Amino acid sequence: MGEQDVCRQLLPRAIFGINGKVENGVRQHPVTGSIIFALGNKIGIADYKKNTQEFVAGHTNTISCLDLSKSGKYMASGQINHMGFRGYVIIWDYDQRKEIARHDLHKVSVQAICFTAQDRCVVSIGGVDDGSVIVFDMEAFSPICQTPASRAISGNALTVRPLHNNPYFFVTAGDRHLRLWSILREEKKLYVQDVLMASKTRVFYCARINKTDEFAYLGTGTGDIVKIVLNCCDRDHVSKQGSTSCILGAFGTHNPRKPTGRDCNRYVNGVRALYVLEGGRLLIGAGNGDIELVEERTDVPLINFRDYPGPTWPYLRTLKKTHVSGRISSFVRSKTDMFYICTDTNEIYGLNIKTWVLKLLRTCHTKSVYCITFPKNYSGVFATSGKECIRIWSSGRKQELLRIMVYNFNCACVRFTHDGTSIVSVWNDGIIRAFTPITGRLIYAIPNAHNKGCSALAVASSGRLIVTGGIEGQVRVWKIDPYRQDLVGVLKDHSGPITSLDINYLDTEVISACTDGSCVIWDIKRMTRKQVVTANTQFMSASYFPTGVQVITCGSDGRIIYWMVYNGALIRELTASKKSSVNCLAINETGDYFITVGSDLQVKLWDYNSGAVVGIGSEHASSVISCAYSPCMTMFVTGSTDGSLIIWDVPRDFWGRPNPPDVTKYSLPKTSSKTRMSDVPSRVNSGTNLKTPKGENIDGLLKATPKDDLCCVECPPCAKKDTKGVDPYAECGIVPDVRKC
């Protein structure tokens, strides 16, 4: 039987992902209300009302710019490519989700793209290596002209903006670059006119034009707003006879508490996003995350600022202000009073400009998702690790519940203890950190666990033993007591970074996978090596079969190998991909099925016994590097290098057991004392009665977190010098029991 005869298409239950670094890369469809955004090399179309999401594929590399026509019929996107290759511009039909035209006239990258009024033309500008303006005619479906965007004495164009009413005019702005263009379709030419800047030099990041096409507002890198008058009506001469486009002034916000000459405030890190509202109001987004609603002052005429000592005039009055995390990249007007705000930290906020209520709507990791894990016997939540943070998500609500931040460092791996009372994580600064599962407070930290940084982690079922792997190739075993953490042993055999660790269900063995082409099975009771398996590959992941008699590995050669634990013999070898590596695998609790993810952007569901692929999912837009099977076995989660997460539904035929519950409720294991020795109080605490403050457990996180809410916690620094008179437990918030210690 062939692979295609039994292979099914895996369907995603929820998708968390957006590329917020694309300038003006978020759009809303005028008819359906769906949000359109770029994610990797695909265009995502999300309907937040129905909680559905789909992707349109066609680009060969990361999408760098995106635009939607005013009618909503067409989409246009450009990509960035490797040096020496062409950057594609693709025109899409929105309803059919299909490509209708493309051209590759740009070199390396496409910087910005836009539709002109009435969907007549598509204007695209190239990046640093190209520097040209290309006009694509939507009636003939072919490019009609190509012209250098800037003069030799000015910089590159960074953004392009069309006029609202005239389909043959557009404005380009950039580094010391501000020009007004007109399109002559019949002659296949472009006329251009430089806007007079009156000796002001600026770097323009964004541009907006008012509804009457009379004025244009531009955000600059110096933190002020430049207002220009367009004066355009004649296509042959671009502007009116006897007049030209010129600057009216560079405006900042007025601070009435300061004296004249110092009462002008600029925006930190420049103005990155703009939106022109009714009544002369402006919605401004800055590079440091500040959002302000401003209006032009009417109490002072503009001519009075000609004698102002600074180049930026305090002509804007701040009405309201708020702040978000990250640089503002897009403003999208959803309703009359509702705006979607996208940041470069891959977050989408909703802002009501009437009530001025800010709400976090969507979020995902900013970069690669290194690890995904579920608690033991509890599928309601799962944790992910990435750049500077650990995030805990709800699989039922499809939202983020808790975020633990450790700035400037990356979390390589995260695990829950089996009793659900703590979250253990390892970081690339060489520190092991454990947190409470509800409040995210630091319980303990082990500094200098590995001298070159930690890369892998495994937690025993008792929770009193953890195993870590480092970039230097060492495997270390730690004993966790209530108020003390001790190093039990160091296992040295690998010569490269440890990629994964897994402990068998008896807590007697641990297998370590390494990039040096070997996997070692260690006896953690005697601290000795039991078996070594080698292959001509870089092992990326290794996992025990639930009964512990076999292990399954995957590596950079695209092969999946079954090994016998007893003697290290090779049992079976499967080919998952012929061109790319397999980065991670996960087995369900019954051992009937397992999943693999790889650099070919595909997620595969395998039958363990037959070795056949029974399901394939291809919704990711970049390399998939992490995955985890849920304890209920009805779903699994995958993460990719662009920060996106996808929750997949497992078909009912491949659940592995009849009628599993949707969400398995967690219950603490019952302990029965057969002897009276357990009732005798001991002088030394062996760690069996360790309890986190206030009895926090992971199963109470959903109850403690309101819907559509997020708790963000910053981890305190761990590498502090000990000084006399300082409470060692003050940082963790734990009050030790002197009698037990």
Side-chain angles (χ1 to χ4, degrees):
M1 184 181 297
E3 181 178 318
Q4 297 180 355
D5 297 337
V6 295
C7 186
R8 295 189 185 181
Q9 187 70 27
L10 298 177
L11 301 177
R13 179 184 300 183
I15 301 174
F16 307 95
I18 185 174
N19 187 6
K21 300 175 181 61
V22 178
E23 299 295 335
N24 296 318
V26 179
R27 295 286 187 270
Q28 185 178 29
H29 197 270
V31 180
T32 62
S34 300
I35 298 297
I36 302 167
F37 56 90
L39 179 60
N41 58 4
K42 296 181 180 179
I43 299 176
I45 302 174
D47 190 346
Y48 290 162
K49 296 179 181 178
K50 300 180 181 178
N51 203 7
T52 59
Q53 198 163 351
E54 57 182 316
F55 288 105
V56 181
H59 283 282
T60 58
N61 212 320
T62 304
I63 295 176
S64 58
C65 52
L66 176 69
D67 194 25
L68 177 71
S69 63
K70 287 188 176 181
S71 62
K73 294 181 180 179
Y74 306 106
M75 297 184 297
S77 57
Q79 74 176 43
I80 184 171
N81 216 336
H82 301 290
M83 186 66 67
F85 294 88
R86 296 282 180 172
Y88 289 104
V89 172
I90 302 181
I91 314 299
W92 310 84
D93 187 292
Y94 178 81
D95 295 330
Q96 298 180 0
R97 309 287 200 270
K98 290 183 179 180
E99 174 188 335
I100 56 178
R102 75 162 61 194
H103 70 80
D104 58 350
L105 300 178
H106 288 291
K107 298 177 182 178
V108 184
S109 66
V110 184
Q111 179 68 32
I113 197 169
C114 73
F115 281 92
T116 60
Q118 303 173 12
D119 303 348
R120 292 288 181 85
C121 301
V122 176
V123 181
S124 58
I125 56 177
V128 178
D129 302 288
D130 182 72
S132 62
V133 174
I134 297 177
V135 178
F136 184 90
D137 187 28
M138 292 298 293
E139 295 181 3
F141 280 101
S142 64
I144 58 175
C145 54
Q146 181 176 5
T147 308
S150 60
R151 299 181 299 167
I153 61 174
S154 62
N156 302 308
L158 300 178
T159 184
V160 58
R161 177 64 57 180
L163 270 64
H164 293 280
N165 303 315
N166 197 320
Y168 298 104
F169 281 86
F170 62 93
V171 177
T172 60
D175 183 9
R176 307 182 306 278
H177 171 105
L178 183 56
R179 312 184 87 182
L180 181 62
W181 303 74
S182 66
I183 304 171
L184 274 67
R185 182 177 180 274
E186 292 77 11
E187 291 84 355
K188 296 184 178 180
K189 291 182 180 179
L190 286 174
Y191 280 150
V192 62
Q193 182 185 83
D194 289 306
V195 179
L196 299 180
M197 290 296 296
S199 72
K200 285 185 172 59
T201 302
R202 295 289 189 273
V203 178
F204 300 103
Y205 287 130
C206 56
R208 287 282 181 177
I209 301 173
N210 63 349
K211 297 295 183 181
T212 60
D213 294 338
E214 185 179 1
F215 301 105
Y217 299 86
L218 301 104
T220 68
T222 54
D224 50 13
I225 309 297
V226 171
K227 183 179 181 181
I228 63 173
V229 57
L230 295 177
N231 289 328
C232 55
C233 68
D234 187 4
R235 284 168 44 188
D236 296 333
H237 300 92
V238 183
S239 60
K240 299 176 183 178
Q241 294 183 358
S243 63
T244 183
S245 302
C246 62
I247 184 174
L248 294 179
F251 304 148
T253 55
H254 173 58
N255 189 353
R257 297 183 179 181
K258 293 186 178 181
T260 303
R262 298 181 181 179
D263 56 345
C264 183
N265 293 336
R266 299 183 184 91
Y267 293 95
V268 181
N269 296 336
V271 177
R272 299 301 184 123
L274 270 175
Y275 200 92
V276 181
L277 298 171
E278 296 80 8
R281 296 180 302 167
L282 296 175
L283 189 64
I284 300 173
N288 65 338
D290 289 338
I291 302 172
E292 290 191 3
L293 182 64
V294 301
E295 66 176 1
E296 297 182 12
R297 295 172 63 184
T298 56
D299 55 344
V300 181
L302 186 61
I303 195 173
N304 291 2
F305 290 103
R306 290 188 175 181
D307 298 329
Y308 193 80
T312 303
W313 301 342
Y315 194 61
L316 300 177
R317 179 187 290 110
T318 302
L319 302 178
K320 298 176 182 178
K321 63 167 57 178
T322 185
H323 183 80
V324 298
S325 63
R327 171 175 56 86
I328 311 297
S329 60
S330 298
F331 279 144
V332 181
R333 193 168 194 172
S334 174
K335 298 177 182 178
T336 306
D337 301 327
M338 189 69 183
F339 278 84
Y340 290 139
I341 302 170
C342 183
T343 66
D344 66 339
T345 56
N346 297 351
E347 294 177 340
I348 296 180
Y349 296 85
L351 177 65
N352 192 314
I353 60 174
K354 267 195 173 181
T355 60
W356 205 249
V357 175
L358 185 68
K359 189 176 182 182
L360 180 62
L361 301 178
R362 296 283 169 170
T363 179
C364 71
H365 282 273
T366 56
K367 288 190 177 180
S368 300
V369 182
Y370 298 116
C371 179
I372 305 173
T373 184
F374 278 90
K376 182 69 173 178
N377 297 332
Y378 185 56
S379 302
V381 298
F382 62 92
T384 59
S385 66
K387 179 185 177 182
E388 299 182 340
C389 67
I390 298 172
R391 306 190 186 206
I392 302 180
W393 309 75
S394 170
S395 55
R397 296 181 188 174
K398 302 179 180 63
Q399 74 174 54
E400 184 181 354
L401 302 176
L402 176 66
R403 185 185 305 175
I404 303 171
M405 304 293 298
V406 180
Y407 293 107
N408 303 324
F409 298 108
N410 299 334
C411 181
C413 190
V414 61
R415 292 285 185 266
F416 290 97
T417 55
H418 282 218
D419 57 359
T421 56
S422 65
I423 306 168
V424 187
S425 60
V426 292
W427 300 74
N428 64 344
D429 59 349
I431 299 179
I432 304 171
R433 294 178 173 91
F435 304 94
T436 56
I438 296 180
T439 58
R441 293 187 298 109
L442 183 67
I443 301 176
Y444 64 85
I446 307 176
N448 303 320
H450 290 271
N451 55 5
K452 291 185 179 180
C454 305
S455 59
L457 171 69
V459 179
S461 60
S462 62
R464 304 296 174 258
L465 201 70
I466 64 174
V467 184
T468 60
I471 299 177
E472 78 283 354
Q474 295 182 5
V475 177
R476 299 189 176 187
V477 184
W478 305 82
K479 182 182 178 183
I480 307 300
D481 285 336
Y483 311 111
R484 182 172 179 174
Q485 301 82 37
D486 296 321
L487 178 63
V488 179
V490 180
L491 307 174
K492 301 179 181 179
D493 192 72
H494 293 291
S495 60
I498 308 297
T499 54
S500 75
L501 292 169
D502 191 24
I503 299 179
N504 66 349
Y505 76 103
L506 296 175
D507 294 342
T508 58
E509 297 176 355
V510 61
I511 182 171
S512 59
C514 183
T515 58
D516 61 359
S518 65
C519 289
V520 180
I521 300 175
W522 307 89
D523 189 335
I524 56 179
K525 297 294 184 182
R526 298 182 297 170
M527 296 296 164
T528 58
R529 188 185 69 187
K530 296 185 68 175
Q531 294 293 339
V532 180
V533 297
T534 60
N536 188 18
T537 181
Q538 294 181 353
F539 286 108
M540 305 303 294
S541 181
S543 180
Y544 272 100
F545 191 76
T547 58
V549 296
Q550 294 180 3
V551 292
I552 183 171
T553 62
C554 64
S556 59
D557 59 352
R559 295 183 301 167
I560 302 169
I561 306 177
Y562 297 42
W563 306 88
M564 181 62 69
V565 173
Y566 176 69
N567 55 2
L570 190 148
I571 303 173
R572 175 186 286 170
E573 187 175 312
L574 305 174
T575 301
S577 177
K578 296 181 180 180
K579 297 181 180 180
S580 60
S581 65
V582 180
N583 298 323
C584 189
L585 59 84
I587 310 176
N588 65 354
E589 289 193 349
T590 61
D592 297 328
Y593 301 95
F594 67 94
I595 53 174
T596 60
V597 295
S599 299
D600 56 356
L601 317 186
Q602 287 190 345
V603 178
K604 294 183 179 181
L605 177 64
W606 300 75
D607 189 307
Y608 189 91
N609 296 322
S610 65
V613 179
V614 296
I616 291 181
S618 57
E619 295 292 335
H620 276 287
S622 62
S623 298
V624 195
I625 60 173
S626 57
C627 62
Y629 228 114
S630 68
C632 65
M633 297 182 295
T634 61
M635 64 180 179
F636 60 88
V637 186
T638 58
S640 61
T641 55
D642 57 8
S644 63
L645 291 168
I646 298 182
I647 303 176
W648 303 84
D649 280 324
V650 178
R652 191 178 182 86
D653 298 338
F654 309 131
W655 281 358
R657 66 169 67 170
N659 300 324
D662 293 336
V663 177
T664 307
K665 294 184 179 180
Y666 179 81
S667 59
L668 289 173
K670 297 181 180 180
T671 58
S672 60
S673 59
K674 296 183 180 180
T675 61
R676 296 182 180 179
M677 292 298 296
S678 60
D679 300 334
V680 179
S682 59
R683 293 183 59 186
V684 180
N685 188 359
S686 61
T688 56
N689 56 353
L690 173 63
K691 294 182 180 180
T692 55
K694 299 181 181 180
E696 290 190 18
N697 200 293
I698 189 61
D699 57 359
L701 181 60
L702 284 173
K703 298 179 181 179
T705 307
K707 194 174 181 180
D708 297 331
D709 195 8
L710 170 64
C711 177
C712 186
V713 182
E714 295 183 9
C715 177
C718 300
K720 287 186 176 180
K721 293 183 179 180
D722 295 334
T723 57
K724 294 183 179 180
V726 177
D727 186 8
Y729 303 103
E731 184 179 296
C732 303
I734 297 177
V735 180
D737 192 342
V738 181
R739 292 174 298 176
K740 293 182 180 180
C741 292

